[in-house]
Each structure stands twice: as C-alpha cells, then as structure tokens.
Amino acid sequence: MREHSNDIRIPQDDERIDVTDLKEVDYWTHWFGVSEERLRTAVASAGTVKDDLRVYLGLP
C-alpha cells in the first residue's frame, strides 16, 4: 500500500484525472472520497473527465 503524501497538489487540469501522476491520484481520491482502487476502476470504466467520474461514482 502506498503512503499518502501530506503535499497534495491541485492538478493543473482540474477537469481531467491523470492516474499516472501519483500526486494527482492523492488529490482526486481525497476530492471524490474514494480509495485509489475505486478511482482507478472508475477511470478505466468512465474515462478521465471529472464530471463523468462523479456520475459514475454516484456522487452529487
């Protein structure tokens, strides 16, 4: 299990998720309130657009 950094960086593109950037993964897991595994599964199924992921994850 990867340790989460206290240095969570806001992504340059706040509409798309880059799961190859571990700092972005930390940011988006916190933002969506999901695990890294859940985020990666959602991206694999719904793509990298934040609003599409929000819908896929069933969030308001």
Side-chain angles (χ1 to χ4, degrees), residues 2-55:
R2 191 168 56 77
E3 243 184 80
H4 291 277
S5 169
N6 290 333
D7 180 30
I8 295 179
R9 175 175 48 91
I10 297 172
Q12 286 185 343
D13 182 351
D14 68 350
E15 294 301 316
R16 292 190 175 274
I17 288 82
D18 178 2
V19 292
T20 65
D21 182 331
L22 297 180
K23 296 256 186 221
E24 280 202 29
V25 170
D26 283 345
Y27 175 84
W28 290 112
T29 56
H30 184 270
W31 196 87
F32 283 122
V34 298
S35 68
E36 180 177 344
E37 180 181 359
R38 181 76 174 124
L39 179 67
R40 291 183 182 280
T41 299
V43 167
S45 296
T48 60
V49 177
K50 177 177 73 175
D51 288 339
D52 293 344
L53 290 166
R54 183 182 50 74
V55 169

